[in-house]
Amino acid sequence: MDEMHKPSRRAFLRGSAAVAAGTVAGAASAQSADPLITDVQDWASITGAGVDETPYGMPIEYESHVVRRNVEWLTASPISSINFTPIHALEGTITPQGCAFERHHSGAIEMKKDDYRLMINGLVDKPLVFTYADLERFPRENHVYFCECAANTGMEWAGAQLNGVQFTHGMIHNMEYTGVPLRALLNEAGLGAAGDLRDKWVYVEGADASSNGRSIPMEKALDDVLVAFKANGEALRMEHGYPVRLVVPGWEGNMWVKWIRRIEVSDTPTESREETSKYTDVLEDGIARKWTWVMDAKSVITSPSPQMPIEHGKGPLVISGLAWSGHGQITRVDVSKDGGITWETARLGKQGDTKALTRFYHDINWDGAPMLLQARAMDETGYVQPTKEQLRDVRGENSVYHNNCIQTWYVNAEGIAENVEVS
Amino acid sequence: EREGAFGLGREALVEELAAWDVDVLPDGRGLPIGTGNALDGEELFADRCAACHGDFAEGVDNWPVLAGGFNTLADEDPVKTVGSYWPHLSTVYDYVYRSMPFGEAGTLSPDETYAIVAYILYSNDLIDDEFELSNKTLGSFEMPNKDGFVIDDRPEAEYAAWSAEPCMSNCKDEVTVTMRSVFLVNTPEDGGSESV
């Protein structure tokens, strides 16, 4: 290549400076000296908080917008309801437990470890009762997994409805779990009595009034299901199942039974309320799918988004988002700025874990023109995240659950983003 | 001791299993001995259930509708009730006995539960008011939508078609915005109410 036409580092720096001077507020465009620099600030003079002030800290008050939020009209009672993780404001992949979404059917119950009991019964050689202390004596594993509510994005089936990624995609969290493989507990009770395991099931239920009982095929139970008692390094939060919950990698959040108290080996699924009346997906002809356990590949741009407008003007812009798949690892995420006419492949923040949130970035130089932003995830099976039209062509608009469609944000020339649907 | 076992935990006692293992299977296995009819159930339902679910199981405000909605599942707005949607009567017994009334779960006797379930069937015009629902009759009762479910068929219906190398350029001629959420009023002001 002709040396003259290679962009030199020096030219690049000059170019960047010119852009910055024209658009960026604050220090970069200051005409006079910045008093935040020239004046001695209090924090550089007097002292801060002592180490004995906060035994267990909360985020600084300036981050008070990074909180769970609910939408009252969605449910009849806040006791059997949902709230939303502020994914618009988070980065990386690990969800802070304190703002990780909640979904309860009869409220978040308070149980001491000493009061905790886990029963294993049914087609086992010896029905067992474990205490919490017993569970801590089994060999442990650590894994990062996403927990996505089956209803995440469910309000958006018939159109663009809620104006914020927290509300359209925030029924999700991603934590590092410590626990015991369910197979180890089943082995302790003995599966000889169950005979051929291929057609057997486990029925799991919680200690709360709703019980949230669900049937899981034995193959999954013996594969990667965890009985977890720690998340992100510490005990589970009360609202996430303290002291013990089920972790069912890649599968719909409803099956991640909290406050788990009983595991029954059975020769048939129980067909409980949570797998008949709920968590079944009505198709256009009125027939419903049942046992739609896996959460398919999905992604969303978290910034820019309706709660994260572009406030810095033209120039360098970080497009940041999340991708995940219940089938395994995310292998690729594409981003479109024109509503799906052209796509560019984004980069992954780092290669994500299997069945875990994966961060992607697409760094652009925004010229101030309106954009129709989309992201499209691919997983290791080759599955490509579909559009909402593709999903509706197969399923209609009333399946409630499992909406993994490509999301579109319309970003106008002022940098304001809206939730839209496009042709 | 079994290979790989640690000898942790202790054997569950019969009384403990009876207290917690109360789930009922579609064929009726797990049902406690008992009986009830819609006449008895009507009174119980009025007392324990109707404040949320309505005198005729028709639902109050946003609380669930338990009756009606027949032949609406393919409509624009399906009404999914015990009568129109639920495939097994076992689930109704199991769920009511275990988890209802909301806020007072686990307080119904087996006979009371049979009676309330009978009243829900009666409200759906599926039985007459003298039908005796019991551990002998419940497991064989056929619900209208028993054949309304298929096992997850995404692998055949979707995955094969959506696993091709995707289009990267000139994927469509033009794009127009067809719907905007800002024209709706459903997103809470100031980004939503804070959860407590």
Side-chain angles (χ1 to χ4, degrees), chain A residues 344-365:
Chain A
E344 297 168 292
T345 298
R347 68 185 166 89
L348 305 185
K350 69 179 177 65
Q351 178 57 56
D353 293 309
T354 187
K355 305 171 188 176
L357 290 191
T358 299
R359 178 63 58 177
F360 69 86
Y361 293 110
H362 194 52
D363 307 295
I364 68 167
N365 192 22

Side-chain angles (χ1 to χ4, degrees), chain B residues 7-112:
Chain B
L8 292 167
R10 52 96 178 158
E11 185 153 10
L13 304 181
V14 171
E15 307 92 296
E16 295 169 335
L17 293 166
W20 276 10
D21 184 359
V22 297
D23 64 286
V24 180
L25 301 177
D27 61 10
R29 278 186 287 165
L31 282 168
I33 293 169
T35 185
N37 61 38
L39 278 174
D40 300 331
E42 183 175 23
E43 200 171 326
L44 283 161
F45 197 89
D47 189 32
R48 307 296 305 275
C49 319
C52 296
H53 295 295
D55 289 337
F56 307 99
E58 77 280 16
V60 174
D61 298 332
N62 272 340
W63 295 99
V65 182
L66 305 182
F70 290 97
N71 302 310
T72 65
L73 298 180
D75 291 358
E76 189 176 342
D77 294 307
V79 180
K80 297 188 283 183
T81 73
V82 169
S84 70
Y85 191 61
W86 292 36
H88 309 291
L89 189 56
S90 57
T91 314
V92 188
Y93 185 96
D94 177 87
Y95 184 68
V96 171
Y97 184 62
R98 183 205 314 270
S99 298
M100 287 286 133
F102 190 63
E104 299 174 343
T107 60
L108 296 172
S109 70
D111 283 352
E112 288 174 328

Side-chain angles (χ1 to χ4, degrees), chain B residues 63-187:
Chain B
W63 295 99
V65 182
L66 305 182
F70 290 97
N71 302 310
T72 65
L73 298 180
D75 291 358
E76 189 176 342
D77 294 307
V79 180
K80 297 188 283 183
T81 73
V82 169
S84 70
Y85 191 61
W86 292 36
H88 309 291
L89 189 56
S90 57
T91 314
V92 188
Y93 185 96
D94 177 87
Y95 184 68
V96 171
Y97 184 62
R98 183 205 314 270
S99 298
M100 287 286 133
F102 190 63
E104 299 174 343
T107 60
L108 296 172
S109 70
D111 283 352
E112 288 174 328
T113 308
Y114 284 111
I116 287 171
V117 174
Y119 182 72
I120 294 171
L121 290 178
Y122 176 76
S123 298
N124 278 287
D125 296 323
L126 296 174
I127 58 170
D128 63 42
D129 60 8
E130 290 177 350
F131 182 89
E132 283 295 326
L133 193 63
S134 72
N135 52 301
K136 294 199 179 76
T137 58
L138 191 147
S140 57
F141 192 91
E142 290 201 349
M143 298 293 278
N145 198 40
K146 68 184 171 68
D147 297 322
F149 296 81
V150 294
I151 294 173
D152 186 5
D153 63 350
R154 284 176 294 174
E156 305 81 48
E158 299 176 0
Y159 297 163
W162 298 343
S163 297
E165 181 64 24
C167 176
M168 294 299 286
S169 59
N170 301 313
C171 299
K172 40 192 172 183
D173 293 334
E174 58 173 9
V175 172
T176 53
V177 172
T178 55
M179 193 174 295
R180 298 174 59 182
S181 69
V182 291
F183 289 147
L184 301 169
V185 293
N186 290 326
T187 307

